[in-house]
Amino acid sequence: QVQLVESGGGLVQAGGSLRLSCATSGGTFTNYRMGWFRQAPGKEREFVATISWSGGTTAYADSVKGRFTISRVNAKNTVYLQMNSLKPEDTAIYYCAARHSVRTSGPYDYWGQGTQVTVSS
């Protein structure tokens, strides 16, 4: 069982930056593709970014491309989401998730509890 714990959320003004962290335990970190998702009030959870086990491949939602960067440090079992040029519409609970790399698609297997990001205008 893999445990994921997010941190780094908070309140920031529009145009500001935050870096989210997701520390994992209970599994072999390099076995997993990692992703970030978010859910705004009254909306469905949506994909934000994903990174392969090696860090060599990343992908982003169009809404965050060019502003957010996903990265991982395998030696620390941690994945990050650097968020720059934040907008009020980025306000949401941000979730970290893990999917075993043997599967190239499908739902993520493990989820964190989420961290709140609020962007004021």
Side-chain angles (χ1 to χ4, degrees):
Q1 186 78 6
V2 177
Q3 291 83 44
L4 300 89
V5 179
E6 302 97 333
S7 61
L11 173 64
V12 64
Q13 289 188 333
S17 298
L18 282 175
R19 188 177 82 154
L20 305 183
S21 300
C22 173
T24 71
S25 61
T28 302
F29 187 57
T30 50
N31 284 347
Y32 295 90
R33 166 177 289 275
M34 301 299 297
W36 286 97
F37 295 76
R38 67 186 182 186
Q39 187 167 20
K43 294 186 178 181
E44 293 187 354
R45 187 165 57 193
E46 65 175 1
F47 165 77
V48 174
T50 186
I51 187 166
S52 61
W53 72 269
S54 67
T57 304
T58 59
Y60 298 89
D62 287 344
S63 59
V64 307
K65 204 171 291 183
R67 299 188 298 122
F68 291 10
T69 302
I70 188 171
S71 62
R72 65 191 293 164
V73 177
N74 287 342
K76 294 185 176 181
N77 295 339
T78 301
V79 62
Y80 303 95
L81 186 68
Q82 177 67 44
M83 305 185 295
N84 298 328
S85 302
L86 282 161
K87 305 175 181 179
E89 51 263 44
D90 294 318
T91 295
I93 300 174
Y94 283 72
Y95 298 91
C96 173
R99 186 179 73 202
H100 204 288
S101 294
V102 298
R103 294 190 293 110
T104 57
S105 63
Y108 280 65
D109 302 299
Y110 302 102
W111 294 83
Q113 82 290 348
T115 186
Q116 177 71 48
V117 172
T118 303
V119 184
S120 63
S121 57

